[in-house]
Amino acid sequence: HRADRQPVRHRGGMTQFPDLDAVLGELTAGVQAALGENCLAVYLQGSFGVGDADEHSDVDFMVVVRQNLDEAELRALQALHGRIYEMETEWARHLEGSYFPAALLRREDPALTKLWYLDNTARVLERSDHDNSLVVRWVTRQHGLTLAGLPPQALIDPVDPDDLRREVRGVMHTWGAEILEGRYGIGNRWAQPFAVLSYCRMLQTLETGTIESKPAGMRWGLAHLEARWHGLIERAWADRPDPSTKVRLPADPADVDATLAFIRYAIELGG
């Protein structure tokens, strides 16, 4: 891993997918038109920043604004996202991201302020603290691809590795409790493998103090965790393609039980 790794750009566009580049172009131009000088930057982050994106990946974006969105700006952005959703490419239905006031983005926000957020498969912005995390700040600062405006290093302070570990350990416990108590369902073929791979990545973060790619997390799990979990991890990775179909299919009950056991193991291992 190198924190100063240069973004991977592809001939003719930001990504290896021309249809996605068209969506990103529409997003960037539309945001700039709607916000004017209030728009400080537009980033592509998440999988496409870290470098492990494929045709099944969400398209994680971030827009940084000088001031909180006013009603006119919000109406213009809602209309923009509605138009993008109707574009003739599946990428247009898989944008996911938040509008961050610059002062809030700079460093950790203990209050977990809710931001205007577009969920994957949604066409309307809603309030959510989904992206208001050190993980998103770290990934964007280290690997974010600048679509417009200032580079992320100018707007986000460095994240201390121990602070990143603290946040990830907290997620392991709180999300794990939701899963183990049945408040977050893992009974479908998207959620069950997602949980397995997520806990591999979180354990890797506790060791390295960084956020690595999904394939790297899977490989780390196979290399560092007990052999009894290897089959579960390998099946989780093999079941990752076509998430929009998998979310409607029931998971193997044996793998659900094994995933619950794996989560208990990971929480104990992570401390």
Side-chain angles (χ1 to χ4, degrees):
H1 171 267
R2 288 188 58 195
D4 61 350
R5 180 179 65 84
Q6 293 299 307
V8 176
R9 291 179 172 83
H10 299 267
R11 182 178 299 177
M14 183 64 69
T15 74
Q16 66 268 46
F17 304 105
D19 286 353
L20 174 55
D21 289 334
V23 171
L24 295 173
E26 188 74 16
L27 173 69
T28 303
V31 164
Q32 290 177 310
L35 300 181
E37 293 186 359
N38 197 22
C39 178
L40 280 175
V42 183
Y43 303 125
L44 181 62
Q45 50 103 3
S47 298
F48 282 94
V50 174
D52 73 330
D54 59 22
E55 66 271 22
H56 307 294
S57 297
D58 297 344
V59 184
D60 296 291
F61 71 91
M62 178 191 290
V63 177
V64 188
V65 295
R66 297 176 189 275
Q67 305 292 337
N68 289 327
L69 301 177
D70 62 30
E71 291 186 6
E73 291 171 333
L74 181 58
R75 285 195 301 271
L77 291 172
Q78 298 285 27
L80 169 66
H81 286 293
R83 292 195 303 273
I84 292 175
Y85 191 90
E86 297 299 331
M87 292 177 68
E88 292 184 0
T89 170
E90 277 303 307
W91 290 114
R93 265 74 69 189
H94 294 288
L95 291 177
E96 180 175 332
S98 294
Y99 289 78
F100 252 107
L104 198 65
L105 176 65
R106 173 65 66 183
R107 57 188 61 88
E108 184 177 12
D109 172 28
L112 295 179
T113 305
K114 291 186 177 182
L115 312 168
W116 287 110
Y117 167 72
L118 184 74
D119 199 0
N120 184 29
T121 74
R123 61 186 300 159
V124 175
L125 295 166
E126 296 181 347
R127 289 284 195 178
S128 173
D129 62 5
H130 183 276
D131 290 338
N132 193 355
S133 68
L134 289 176
V135 167
V136 168
R137 287 173 174 83
W138 190 95
V139 169
T140 304
R141 189 180 196 279
Q142 297 298 112
H143 298 299
L145 306 181
T146 303
L147 303 178
L150 297 171
Q153 295 80 9
L155 297 173
I156 306 172
D157 288 346
V159 177
D160 187 288
D162 287 338
D163 289 337
L164 192 63
R165 291 184 177 98
R166 167 178 51 80
E167 180 179 273
V168 167
R169 186 176 287 110
V171 171
M172 290 178 69
H173 283 266
T174 56
W175 187 32
E178 291 177 358
I179 294 172
L180 295 172
E181 295 168 10
R183 292 180 283 121
Y184 182 101
I186 60 167
N188 65 72
R189 285 179 59 191
W190 173 81
Q192 178 270 315
F194 175 72
V196 172
L197 297 174
S198 294
Y199 272 86
C200 287
R201 295 180 77 193
M202 288 189 286
L203 286 171
Q204 183 183 31
T205 293
L206 295 185
E207 179 179 271
T208 66
T210 64
I211 306 297
E212 302 297 334
S213 69
K214 293 181 185 70
M218 178 268 296
R219 292 191 295 268
W220 183 92
L222 294 176
H224 292 83
L225 301 180
E226 294 176 13
R228 61 182 167 131
W229 306 115
H230 290 185
L232 181 69
I233 294 168
E234 289 168 344
R235 290 192 300 277
W237 182 253
D239 218 18
R240 184 174 170 271
D242 195 12
S244 60
T245 297
K246 298 290 176 56
V247 75
R248 297 190 293 270
L249 300 174
D252 183 324
D255 276 346
V256 172
D257 290 343
T259 300
L260 296 176
F262 179 65
I263 290 170
R264 293 187 185 95
Y265 162 83
I267 290 172
E268 182 177 356
L269 187 63

